[in-house]
Each structure stands twice: as structure tokens, then as C-alpha cells.
Amino acid sequence: MRLSFADASTAPRDTSAYATHRTLADAFGPGRDAPLVIVTDGSGAALRPVADAVRDTPGVAAVTPVRTSADGGASEFVAIPTTGTQDAATPKLVHRLRDTVIPHAAPGQRVYVGGPNAATIDFADSVTTRLPWLIAVVVALSLLVLLVLVRSVVIAVKAAVMTLLSTLAAYGVLTAVVQWGWFGHALGFATDQPVTTWVPLFVFPILFGLSTDYEVFLVSRIREEYDAGADTREAVRRGLASTARIITAAAAIMVLVFLTVLLGDDPAVKQFGLGLAVAVLLDATLVRMVLVPALMELLGAANWWLPRPLARLLSRRAEAERADDPVRA
């Protein structure tokens, strides 16, 4: 999955924004909308060797003359790539300039590569780096909540793994439709493009919240049947029979709501709606209604494994709650 922000090149074909982009790209090249502003402190003399090195770098179409501010405090020039903002080669060019070309041309000198295009690339890199941490924190917190609720390490871990499976499937569908163009035009995407940078950040926590609801509906009912004396196989059968309609009805409502977003024009919002619709559909049908019950039947008594120290702790907590609640006591 490549990440970026939508720009004029991804706008609907009947808009003036796309018409402007197409006119400039045809006249000056696709990189006209992806300028790189290269800046340093001090006079332009120190920046001219950098400009020469950048001009000779493959992937750079043109370089403007070096300019120095009126007070001599800063100098700059603009490099125009041969590729546009949404092209996979443009981020590679930015990293090559920062990591190799500029340090060799001006060793020891602070030279910055900025501009809207570079800022988009930096934000995408930041999301790529931090998204695993977001996933890890959300998964860890959900494990704790499920562990207290169902009193089973195996079920809590299984729930987290299954939700990750749904999330990865949603990311895969987004990549195939938006980035690779599979059925993209049929769903209203004007062209192949990277996934909008903020979409994975929003899809995962929202999906995790919804899928955890579905998991709680299902597993808590199975746990009640198991505590009432049914074996695991029978508890799964009864729990699934009593919650399947609730889960599928709730999921159907959410899927339809998310799919209505595809009727709009904003490609980023359309990606968001598509990702959540696919994720909820897969999670509530294939994952919660098929994989989770099947795995619980295969695991049998192992579903309810809980380390003794943790079991004693949760038992004392439950007893304290019953003592504080006259109705339950």
C-alpha cells in the first residue's frame, strides 16, 4: 500500500481542477504539480553546487536559478520532477536527494527539501512508521478488556487476531481497488492513485470498535451457555443461533451506511467508506459467523484456559462486585 494525499490529478474528470492539472502537465510535464523547494541558510554560493547536483539527478526535469533573500539569510531553488505527486517514483526521488545527492554535494551543510510535495511524502512516511504502534496499542487494550469480560486468554487473543485479519483484508481491497485500479472506475474513482494517508489510521480503530462489539455479542453468549453446563460444542451452537441475526443485522446497517459514501465526489472520503464497508462485511460474516465458531469448536476446552493467578484475581474482583451490588448478591 502506497500512501499520499489526493490532488488535482485525482479529481473527477469534469472539474476545473483536473482541467488545470491536465493543461499544465501536457505543457510542462507531470512534475509541474510536484515541485520540490530546496533551501539553505546563507548566500546562494553555497547552494549552487547542490543545484548542479540536483539538476544532474535522474528523475529531475528542471531546476530554477538559485535565489537569495534580500537580507542574505537564506537561499532557495525549485526542482521539478519528471513524475507527478501520485507516482511511486516521486517519493523515491525525494529520499534519494535527501540521503545521497545533497549530502555528497554539500557535506556538512544543512540543506532542506520542502514544499507541498515533500510534506505529503513526510506525512505518509510518518503514518507508515506509526501505524504499527497504533495497532499494537489498540490490540493490547482490547485484549485486556476481553480478558476481563470472557475470562479466557485464548478467546481474547483469538478475537484480536481475527480483527487484524479483517483489517488486513480491508487494506488489501483498498490497495487493489484504489491503487491497482481493480473495478476502480465502476466505483467512481477517476484514476489509479495511492491510498489517502489518513484512511488507514481511521479505518483500523473504527473497525476494531465495531468488530469487538460483534465479538462481545457472540462470545459472551457462548460463555453464558458454557457456564450453564453445556459443553463447548453445544455452547457455540446455542450462542451462534441466538446472536447471528443481531450481528448480521447490525453489520448490514453499517455496510449500507458506509457504501453511501461512494456516491460523493471526494476520493479520500470514498476510500474511507469503501474500506469500512468491506471490513465490516467480512468481519461480521466470514470472521464472526464462520471462522470464530469453527475455531472455538476445534479448540474445545482449550478455549477457556486462564492462568491460575489471573483466575483468582478475576474471581476476587467478581465476588467484590457481587458484594457491592445487593441485587446480584
Side-chain angles (χ1 to χ4, degrees), residues 48-98:
R48 289 190 182 94
V50 176
D52 294 337
V54 171
R55 183 182 295 108
D56 296 335
T57 302
V60 176
V63 170
T64 64
V66 176
R67 298 191 311 165
T68 303
S69 62
D71 61 358
S75 300
E76 68 161 5
F77 68 90
V78 178
I80 307 298
T82 58
T83 52
T85 303
Q86 309 300 335
D87 198 296
T90 305
K92 295 178 181 178
L93 173 63
V94 172
H95 292 309
R96 185 163 63 250
L97 292 177
R98 288 173 170 172

mmCIF file of all heavy atoms in Angstrom, residues 48-98:
data_model
loop_
_atom_site.group_PDB
_atom_site.id
_atom_site.type_symbol
_atom_site.label_atom_id
_atom_site.label_comp_id
_atom_site.label_asym_id
_atom_site.label_seq_id
_atom_site.Cartn_x
_atom_site.Cartn_y
_atom_site.Cartn_z
ATOM 1 N N ARG A 48 24.677 26.644 -4.930
ATOM 2 C CA ARG A 48 24.812 26.388 -6.374
ATOM 3 C C ARG A 48 25.367 25.004 -6.683
ATOM 4 O O ARG A 48 24.905 24.355 -7.630
ATOM 5 C CB ARG A 48 25.674 27.477 -7.005
ATOM 6 C CG ARG A 48 24.953 28.819 -7.074
ATOM 7 C CD ARG A 48 25.677 29.850 -7.905
ATOM 8 N NE ARG A 48 24.945 31.112 -7.888
ATOM 9 C CZ ARG A 48 25.181 32.107 -7.047
ATOM 10 N NH1 ARG A 48 26.151 31.981 -6.143
ATOM 11 N NH2 ARG A 48 24.464 33.209 -7.098
ATOM 12 N N PRO A 49 26.360 24.466 -5.936
ATOM 13 C CA PRO A 49 26.783 23.077 -6.210
ATOM 14 C C PRO A 49 25.658 22.069 -5.986
ATOM 15 O O PRO A 49 25.584 21.066 -6.696
ATOM 16 C CB PRO A 49 27.924 22.860 -5.207
ATOM 17 C CG PRO A 49 28.418 24.220 -4.867
ATOM 18 C CD PRO A 49 27.211 25.103 -4.913
ATOM 19 N N VAL A 50 24.789 22.363 -5.025
ATOM 20 C CA VAL A 50 23.641 21.484 -4.792
ATOM 21 C C VAL A 50 22.692 21.538 -5.979
ATOM 22 O O VAL A 50 22.188 20.506 -6.448
ATOM 23 C CB VAL A 50 22.906 21.883 -3.498
ATOM 24 C CG1 VAL A 50 21.654 21.039 -3.295
ATOM 25 C CG2 VAL A 50 23.829 21.759 -2.301
ATOM 26 N N ALA A 51 22.436 22.731 -6.495
ATOM 27 C CA ALA A 51 21.554 22.875 -7.653
ATOM 28 C C ALA A 51 22.107 22.125 -8.857
ATOM 29 O O ALA A 51 21.355 21.474 -9.599
ATOM 30 C CB ALA A 51 21.360 24.357 -7.979
ATOM 31 N N ASP A 52 23.421 22.199 -9.059
ATOM 32 C CA ASP A 52 24.028 21.466 -10.172
ATOM 33 C C ASP A 52 23.874 19.959 -9.994
ATOM 34 O O ASP A 52 23.577 19.229 -10.952
ATOM 35 C CB ASP A 52 25.514 21.830 -10.286
ATOM 36 C CG ASP A 52 25.723 23.291 -10.674
ATOM 37 O OD1 ASP A 52 24.799 23.884 -11.273
ATOM 38 O OD2 ASP A 52 26.805 23.841 -10.367
ATOM 39 N N ALA A 53 24.059 19.468 -8.755
ATOM 40 C CA ALA A 53 23.936 18.032 -8.499
ATOM 41 C C ALA A 53 22.499 17.569 -8.661
ATOM 42 O O ALA A 53 22.234 16.481 -9.206
ATOM 43 C CB ALA A 53 24.446 17.710 -7.093
ATOM 44 N N VAL A 54 21.560 18.378 -8.198
ATOM 45 C CA VAL A 54 20.149 18.017 -8.332
ATOM 46 C C VAL A 54 19.739 18.015 -9.801
ATOM 47 O O VAL A 54 18.995 17.131 -10.253
ATOM 48 C CB VAL A 54 19.272 18.984 -7.513
ATOM 49 C CG1 VAL A 54 17.797 18.763 -7.816
ATOM 50 C CG2 VAL A 54 19.538 18.822 -6.022
ATOM 51 N N ARG A 55 20.232 18.982 -10.568
ATOM 52 C CA ARG A 55 19.900 19.054 -11.994
ATOM 53 C C ARG A 55 20.350 17.798 -12.738
ATOM 54 O O ARG A 55 19.681 17.333 -13.670
ATOM 55 C CB ARG A 55 20.559 20.289 -12.616
ATOM 56 C CG ARG A 55 20.209 20.497 -14.088
ATOM 57 C CD ARG A 55 20.920 21.702 -14.670
ATOM 58 N NE ARG A 55 20.477 22.943 -14.049
ATOM 59 C CZ ARG A 55 21.211 23.662 -13.204
ATOM 60 N NH1 ARG A 55 22.435 23.242 -12.844
ATOM 61 N NH2 ARG A 55 20.737 24.789 -12.708
ATOM 62 N N ASP A 56 21.470 17.229 -12.316
ATOM 63 C CA ASP A 56 22.005 16.042 -12.986
ATOM 64 C C ASP A 56 21.427 14.723 -12.457
ATOM 65 O O ASP A 56 21.810 13.647 -12.922
ATOM 66 C CB ASP A 56 23.533 16.007 -12.826
ATOM 67 C CG ASP A 56 24.217 17.186 -13.529
ATOM 68 O OD1 ASP A 56 23.611 17.717 -14.481
ATOM 69 O OD2 ASP A 56 25.327 17.568 -13.110
ATOM 70 N N THR A 57 20.523 14.807 -11.500
ATOM 71 C CA THR A 57 19.943 13.601 -10.900
ATOM 72 C C THR A 57 18.843 13.044 -11.797
ATOM 73 O O THR A 57 17.953 13.791 -12.221
ATOM 74 C CB THR A 57 19.362 13.919 -9.512
ATOM 75 O OG1 THR A 57 20.384 14.444 -8.669
ATOM 76 C CG2 THR A 57 18.765 12.666 -8.875
ATOM 77 N N PRO A 58 18.857 11.751 -12.104
ATOM 78 C CA PRO A 58 17.753 11.161 -12.876
ATOM 79 C C PRO A 58 16.424 11.337 -12.154
ATOM 80 O O PRO A 58 16.334 11.168 -10.939
ATOM 81 C CB PRO A 58 18.134 9.669 -12.951
ATOM 82 C CG PRO A 58 19.619 9.645 -12.758
ATOM 83 C CD PRO A 58 19.922 10.766 -11.815
ATOM 84 N N GLY A 59 15.405 11.711 -12.894
ATOM 85 C CA GLY A 59 14.105 11.959 -12.306
ATOM 86 C C GLY A 59 13.816 13.427 -12.090
ATOM 87 O O GLY A 59 12.697 13.785 -11.717
ATOM 88 N N VAL A 60 14.802 14.305 -12.306
ATOM 89 C CA VAL A 60 14.610 15.751 -12.189
ATOM 90 C C VAL A 60 14.517 16.343 -13.583
ATOM 91 O O VAL A 60 15.443 16.186 -14.396
ATOM 92 C CB VAL A 60 15.753 16.410 -11.402
ATOM 93 C CG1 VAL A 60 15.587 17.929 -11.387
ATOM 94 C CG2 VAL A 60 15.783 15.872 -9.980
ATOM 95 N N ALA A 61 13.405 17.030 -13.871
ATOM 96 C CA ALA A 61 13.194 17.586 -15.203
ATOM 97 C C ALA A 61 13.850 18.950 -15.373
ATOM 98 O O ALA A 61 14.395 19.259 -16.440
ATOM 99 C CB ALA A 61 11.693 17.700 -15.476
ATOM 100 N N ALA A 62 13.805 19.761 -14.328
ATOM 101 C CA ALA A 62 14.346 21.117 -14.434
ATOM 102 C C ALA A 62 14.638 21.657 -13.050
ATOM 103 O O ALA A 62 14.073 21.196 -12.047
ATOM 104 C CB ALA A 62 13.350 22.033 -15.155
ATOM 105 N N VAL A 63 15.527 22.654 -13.004
ATOM 106 C CA VAL A 63 15.898 23.321 -11.760
ATOM 107 C C VAL A 63 15.892 24.818 -12.011
ATOM 108 O O VAL A 63 16.468 25.290 -13.003
ATOM 109 C CB VAL A 63 17.288 22.862 -11.273
ATOM 110 C CG1 VAL A 63 17.764 23.732 -10.116
ATOM 111 C CG2 VAL A 63 17.249 21.403 -10.835
ATOM 112 N N THR A 64 15.252 25.587 -11.141
ATOM 113 C CA THR A 64 15.224 27.038 -11.295
ATOM 114 C C THR A 64 16.548 27.638 -10.808
ATOM 115 O O THR A 64 17.287 27.000 -10.058
ATOM 116 C CB THR A 64 14.063 27.642 -10.489
ATOM 117 O OG1 THR A 64 14.287 27.387 -9.084
ATOM 118 C CG2 THR A 64 12.734 27.029 -10.902
ATOM 119 N N PRO A 65 16.856 28.858 -11.211
ATOM 120 C CA PRO A 65 18.070 29.518 -10.689
ATOM 121 C C PRO A 65 18.003 29.695 -9.178
ATOM 122 O O PRO A 65 16.926 29.835 -8.589
ATOM 123 C CB PRO A 65 18.065 30.873 -11.407
ATOM 124 C CG PRO A 65 17.231 30.663 -12.628
ATOM 125 C CD PRO A 65 16.184 29.665 -12.233
ATOM 126 N N VAL A 66 19.158 29.695 -8.545
ATOM 127 C CA VAL A 66 19.236 29.900 -7.098
ATOM 128 C C VAL A 66 18.900 31.346 -6.772
ATOM 129 O O VAL A 66 19.402 32.277 -7.416
ATOM 130 C CB VAL A 66 20.636 29.538 -6.582
ATOM 131 C CG1 VAL A 66 20.752 29.851 -5.090
ATOM 132 C CG2 VAL A 66 20.938 28.063 -6.845
ATOM 133 N N ARG A 67 18.062 31.558 -5.771
ATOM 134 C CA ARG A 67 17.709 32.902 -5.328
ATOM 135 C C ARG A 67 18.119 33.074 -3.881
ATOM 136 O O ARG A 67 18.015 32.150 -3.073
ATOM 137 C CB ARG A 67 16.205 33.144 -5.448
ATOM 138 C CG ARG A 67 15.645 33.057 -6.854
ATOM 139 C CD ARG A 67 14.218 33.580 -6.891
ATOM 140 N NE ARG A 67 13.399 32.987 -5.838
ATOM 141 C CZ ARG A 67 12.217 33.474 -5.466
ATOM 142 N NH1 ARG A 67 11.740 34.563 -6.030
ATOM 143 N NH2 ARG A 67 11.517 32.868 -4.499
ATOM 144 N N THR A 68 18.566 34.279 -3.538
ATOM 145 C CA THR A 68 18.950 34.599 -2.165
ATOM 146 C C THR A 68 18.043 35.702 -1.639
ATOM 147 O O THR A 68 17.689 36.637 -2.377
ATOM 148 C CB THR A 68 20.415 35.063 -2.108
ATOM 149 O OG1 THR A 68 21.254 34.041 -2.654
ATOM 150 C CG2 THR A 68 20.845 35.342 -0.670
ATOM 151 N N SER A 69 17.649 35.596 -0.401
ATOM 152 C CA SER A 69 16.771 36.602 0.196
ATOM 153 C C SER A 69 17.469 37.945 0.278
ATOM 154 O O SER A 69 18.704 38.047 0.198
ATOM 155 C CB SER A 69 16.338 36.148 1.592
ATOM 156 O OG SER A 69 17.458 36.025 2.441
ATOM 157 N N ALA A 70 16.671 39.005 0.461
ATOM 158 C CA ALA A 70 17.223 40.359 0.465
ATOM 159 C C ALA A 70 18.252 40.563 1.571
ATOM 160 O O ALA A 70 19.242 41.286 1.391
ATOM 161 C CB ALA A 70 16.089 41.375 0.606
ATOM 162 N N ASP A 71 18.047 39.899 2.728
ATOM 163 C CA ASP A 71 18.994 40.076 3.824
ATOM 164 C C ASP A 71 20.137 39.056 3.792
ATOM 165 O O ASP A 71 20.984 39.046 4.685
ATOM 166 C CB ASP A 71 18.269 39.994 5.171
ATOM 167 C CG ASP A 71 17.594 38.638 5.378
ATOM 168 O OD1 ASP A 71 17.658 37.775 4.466
ATOM 169 O OD2 ASP A 71 16.987 38.440 6.450
ATOM 170 N N GLY A 72 20.138 38.194 2.785
ATOM 171 C CA GLY A 72 21.202 37.195 2.674
ATOM 172 C C GLY A 72 21.092 36.061 3.673
ATOM 173 O O GLY A 72 22.036 35.277 3.817
ATOM 174 N N GLY A 73 19.963 35.934 4.332
ATOM 175 C CA GLY A 73 19.839 34.917 5.370
ATOM 176 C C GLY A 73 19.467 33.542 4.863
ATOM 177 O O GLY A 73 19.635 32.544 5.574
ATOM 178 N N ALA A 74 18.928 33.453 3.654
ATOM 179 C CA ALA A 74 18.505 32.146 3.136
ATOM 180 C C ALA A 74 18.562 32.163 1.614
ATOM 181 O O ALA A 74 18.452 33.220 0.972
ATOM 182 C CB ALA A 74 17.094 31.807 3.601
ATOM 183 N N SER A 75 18.750 30.981 1.043
ATOM 184 C CA SER A 75 18.761 30.808 -0.408
ATOM 185 C C SER A 75 17.896 29.613 -0.773
ATOM 186 O O SER A 75 17.736 28.683 0.027
ATOM 187 C CB SER A 75 20.188 30.595 -0.922
ATOM 188 O OG SER A 75 21.008 31.700 -0.599
ATOM 189 N N GLU A 76 17.375 29.622 -1.989
ATOM 190 C CA GLU A 76 16.499 28.541 -2.412
ATOM 191 C C GLU A 76 16.559 28.355 -3.920
ATOM 192 O O GLU A 76 16.973 29.243 -4.664
ATOM 193 C CB GLU A 76 15.059 28.826 -2.017
ATOM 194 C CG GLU A 76 14.460 29.985 -2.795
ATOM 195 C CD GLU A 76 12.940 30.008 -2.764
ATOM 196 O OE1 GLU A 76 12.352 29.183 -2.054
ATOM 197 O OE2 GLU A 76 12.360 30.837 -3.489
ATOM 198 N N PHE A 77 16.153 27.161 -4.345
ATOM 199 C CA PHE A 77 15.810 26.907 -5.744
ATOM 200 C C PHE A 77 14.739 25.827 -5.771
ATOM 201 O O PHE A 77 14.499 25.147 -4.769
ATOM 202 C CB PHE A 77 17.041 26.517 -6.575
ATOM 203 C CG PHE A 77 17.623 25.169 -6.225
ATOM 204 C CD1 PHE A 77 17.198 24.003 -6.855
ATOM 205 C CD2 PHE A 77 18.628 25.068 -5.267
ATOM 206 C CE1 PHE A 77 17.746 22.778 -6.535
ATOM 207 C CE2 PHE A 77 19.178 23.848 -4.940
ATOM 208 C CZ PHE A 77 18.734 22.688 -5.576
ATOM 209 N N VAL A 78 14.066 25.700 -6.877
ATOM 210 C CA VAL A 78 12.964 24.741 -7.022
ATOM 211 C C VAL A 78 13.358 23.693 -8.053
ATOM 212 O O VAL A 78 13.810 24.035 -9.155
ATOM 213 C CB VAL A 78 11.657 25.439 -7.439
ATOM 214 C CG1 VAL A 78 10.542 24.422 -7.639
ATOM 215 C CG2 VAL A 78 11.264 26.480 -6.391
ATOM 216 N N ALA A 79 13.181 22.426 -7.689
ATOM 217 C CA ALA A 79 13.420 21.311 -8.605
ATOM 218 C C ALA A 79 12.081 20.736 -9.047
ATOM 219 O O ALA A 79 11.207 20.489 -8.213
ATOM 220 C CB ALA A 79 14.256 20.234 -7.930
ATOM 221 N N ILE A 80 11.920 20.542 -10.343
ATOM 222 C CA ILE A 80 10.689 19.982 -10.907
ATOM 223 C C ILE A 80 10.953 18.527 -11.284
ATOM 224 O O ILE A 80 11.779 18.253 -12.153
ATOM 225 C CB ILE A 80 10.228 20.765 -12.149
ATOM 226 C CG1 ILE A 80 10.113 22.262 -11.825
ATOM 227 C CG2 ILE A 80 8.911 20.206 -12.653
ATOM 228 C CD1 ILE A 80 9.098 22.582 -10.770
ATOM 229 N N PRO A 81 10.271 17.580 -10.649
ATOM 230 C CA PRO A 81 10.472 16.171 -11.009
ATOM 231 C C PRO A 81 9.885 15.855 -12.387
ATOM 232 O O PRO A 81 9.068 16.611 -12.931
ATOM 233 C CB PRO A 81 9.716 15.407 -9.911
ATOM 234 C CG PRO A 81 9.456 16.412 -8.832
ATOM 235 C CD PRO A 81 9.361 17.735 -9.516
ATOM 236 N N THR A 82 10.295 14.731 -12.923
ATOM 237 C CA THR A 82 9.713 14.260 -14.178
ATOM 238 C C THR A 82 8.408 13.510 -13.947
ATOM 239 O O THR A 82 7.689 13.208 -14.902
ATOM 240 C CB THR A 82 10.691 13.324 -14.899
ATOM 241 O OG1 THR A 82 11.007 12.223 -14.038
ATOM 242 C CG2 THR A 82 11.972 14.051 -15.277
ATOM 243 N N THR A 83 8.093 13.201 -12.690
ATOM 244 C CA THR A 83 6.890 12.444 -12.348
ATOM 245 C C THR A 83 6.014 13.259 -11.412
ATOM 246 O O THR A 83 6.480 14.174 -10.729
ATOM 247 C CB THR A 83 7.255 11.109 -11.663
ATOM 248 O OG1 THR A 83 8.141 11.369 -10.562
ATOM 249 C CG2 THR A 83 7.958 10.180 -12.645
ATOM 250 N N GLY A 84 4.728 12.901 -11.353
ATOM 251 C CA GLY A 84 3.772 13.643 -10.556
ATOM 252 C C GLY A 84 3.740 13.215 -9.100
ATOM 253 O O GLY A 84 4.421 12.273 -8.684
ATOM 254 N N THR A 85 2.894 13.888 -8.340
ATOM 255 C CA THR A 85 2.786 13.631 -6.905
ATOM 256 C C THR A 85 2.364 12.200 -6.615
ATOM 257 O O THR A 85 2.847 11.582 -5.659
ATOM 258 C CB THR A 85 1.770 14.605 -6.281
ATOM 259 O OG1 THR A 85 2.172 15.948 -6.558
ATOM 260 C CG2 THR A 85 1.672 14.410 -4.778
ATOM 261 N N GLN A 86 1.458 11.644 -7.409
ATOM 262 C CA GLN A 86 0.922 10.318 -7.146
ATOM 263 C C GLN A 86 1.792 9.190 -7.689
ATOM 264 O O GLN A 86 1.486 8.018 -7.453
ATOM 265 C CB GLN A 86 -0.493 10.203 -7.747
ATOM 266 C CG GLN A 86 -1.438 11.321 -7.373
ATOM 267 C CD GLN A 86 -1.665 11.434 -5.876
ATOM 268 O OE1 GLN A 86 -1.508 10.467 -5.144
ATOM 269 N NE2 GLN A 86 -2.016 12.614 -5.407
ATOM 270 N N ASP A 87 2.854 9.514 -8.389
ATOM 271 C CA ASP A 87 3.719 8.488 -8.971
ATOM 272 C C ASP A 87 4.639 7.908 -7.910
ATOM 273 O O ASP A 87 5.189 8.635 -7.074
ATOM 274 C CB ASP A 87 4.548 9.091 -10.107
ATOM 275 C CG ASP A 87 5.132 8.023 -11.016
ATOM 276 O OD1 ASP A 87 5.961 7.230 -10.524
ATOM 277 O OD2 ASP A 87 4.768 7.991 -12.198
ATOM 278 N N ALA A 88 4.848 6.598 -7.936
ATOM 279 C CA ALA A 88 5.703 5.942 -6.943
ATOM 280 C C ALA A 88 7.148 6.400 -7.036
ATOM 281 O O ALA A 88 7.899 6.303 -6.054
ATOM 282 C CB ALA A 88 5.630 4.423 -7.113
ATOM 283 N N ALA A 89 7.565 6.918 -8.203
ATOM 284 C CA ALA A 89 8.952 7.342 -8.362
ATOM 285 C C ALA A 89 9.247 8.654 -7.640
ATOM 286 O O ALA A 89 10.410 8.924 -7.310
ATOM 287 C CB ALA A 89 9.277 7.488 -9.848
ATOM 288 N N THR A 90 8.240 9.469 -7.391
ATOM 289 C CA THR A 90 8.481 10.781 -6.772
ATOM 290 C C THR A 90 8.968 10.670 -5.330
ATOM 291 O O THR A 90 9.957 11.339 -4.965
ATOM 292 C CB THR A 90 7.211 11.639 -6.866
ATOM 293 O OG1 THR A 90 6.794 11.716 -8.231
ATOM 294 C CG2 THR A 90 7.483 13.042 -6.354
ATOM 295 N N PRO A 91 8.346 9.874 -4.444
ATOM 296 C CA PRO A 91 8.917 9.711 -3.104
ATOM 297 C C PRO A 91 10.332 9.145 -3.124
ATOM 298 O O PRO A 91 11.175 9.542 -2.310
ATOM 299 C CB PRO A 91 7.939 8.750 -2.417
ATOM 300 C CG PRO A 91 6.668 8.899 -3.151
ATOM 301 C CD PRO A 91 7.053 9.170 -4.562
ATOM 302 N N LYS A 92 10.606 8.230 -4.058
ATOM 303 C CA LYS A 92 11.961 7.677 -4.161
ATOM 304 C C LYS A 92 12.958 8.770 -4.523
ATOM 305 O O LYS A 92 14.086 8.787 -4.014
ATOM 306 C CB LYS A 92 11.991 6.550 -5.195
ATOM 307 C CG LYS A 92 11.155 5.335 -4.818
ATOM 308 C CD LYS A 92 11.198 4.268 -5.906
ATOM 309 C CE LYS A 92 10.341 3.071 -5.535
ATOM 310 N NZ LYS A 92 10.332 2.045 -6.620
ATOM 311 N N LEU A 93 12.558 9.683 -5.388
ATOM 312 C CA LEU A 93 13.430 10.796 -5.749
ATOM 313 C C LEU A 93 13.725 11.678 -4.542
ATOM 314 O O LEU A 93 14.884 12.074 -4.318
ATOM 315 C CB LEU A 93 12.781 11.621 -6.865
ATOM 316 C CG LEU A 93 13.504 12.917 -7.236
ATOM 317 C CD1 LEU A 93 14.900 12.621 -7.792
ATOM 318 C CD2 LEU A 93 12.677 13.734 -8.233
ATOM 319 N N VAL A 94 12.691 11.998 -3.761
ATOM 320 C CA VAL A 94 12.891 12.846 -2.583
ATOM 321 C C VAL A 94 13.858 12.196 -1.608
ATOM 322 O O VAL A 94 14.783 12.846 -1.087
ATOM 323 C CB VAL A 94 11.537 13.140 -1.905
ATOM 324 C CG1 VAL A 94 11.748 13.851 -0.572
ATOM 325 C CG2 VAL A 94 10.665 13.995 -2.819
ATOM 326 N N HIS A 95 13.687 10.910 -1.349
ATOM 327 C CA HIS A 95 14.591 10.220 -0.428
ATOM 328 C C HIS A 95 16.013 10.160 -0.987
ATOM 329 O O HIS A 95 16.985 10.284 -0.234
ATOM 330 C CB HIS A 95 14.074 8.803 -0.163
ATOM 331 C CG HIS A 95 12.800 8.767 0.625
ATOM 332 N ND1 HIS A 95 12.630 9.447 1.807
ATOM 333 C CD2 HIS A 95 11.608 8.137 0.392
ATOM 334 C CE1 HIS A 95 11.422 9.234 2.287
ATOM 335 N NE2 HIS A 95 10.765 8.448 1.437
ATOM 336 N N ARG A 96 16.141 9.979 -2.296
ATOM 337 C CA ARG A 96 17.478 9.936 -2.895
ATOM 338 C C ARG A 96 18.170 11.298 -2.790
ATOM 339 O O ARG A 96 19.375 11.378 -2.492
ATOM 340 C CB ARG A 96 17.376 9.493 -4.355
ATOM 341 C CG ARG A 96 18.728 9.295 -5.031
ATOM 342 C CD ARG A 96 18.625 8.476 -6.301
ATOM 343 N NE ARG A 96 17.816 9.146 -7.303
ATOM 344 C CZ ARG A 96 16.609 8.747 -7.702
ATOM 345 N NH1 ARG A 96 16.048 7.680 -7.141
ATOM 346 N NH2 ARG A 96 15.954 9.415 -8.633
ATOM 347 N N LEU A 97 17.421 12.372 -3.007
ATOM 348 C CA LEU A 97 18.011 13.705 -2.871
ATOM 349 C C LEU A 97 18.474 13.952 -1.440
ATOM 350 O O LEU A 97 19.574 14.477 -1.206
ATOM 351 C CB LEU A 97 17.004 14.774 -3.288
ATOM 352 C CG LEU A 97 16.614 14.825 -4.773
ATOM 353 C CD1 LEU A 97 15.544 15.887 -5.003
ATOM 354 C CD2 LEU A 97 17.834 15.094 -5.650
ATOM 355 N N ARG A 98 17.635 13.594 -0.474
ATOM 356 C CA ARG A 98 17.971 13.856 0.927
ATOM 357 C C ARG A 98 19.086 12.962 1.438
ATOM 358 O O ARG A 98 19.948 13.416 2.207
ATOM 359 C CB ARG A 98 16.725 13.652 1.797
ATOM 360 C CG ARG A 98 15.681 14.740 1.644
ATOM 361 C CD ARG A 98 14.420 14.365 2.397
ATOM 362 N NE ARG A 98 13.473 15.477 2.471
ATOM 363 C CZ ARG A 98 12.240 15.370 2.927
ATOM 364 N NH1 ARG A 98 11.788 14.188 3.339
ATOM 365 N NH2 ARG A 98 11.445 16.422 2.969
#
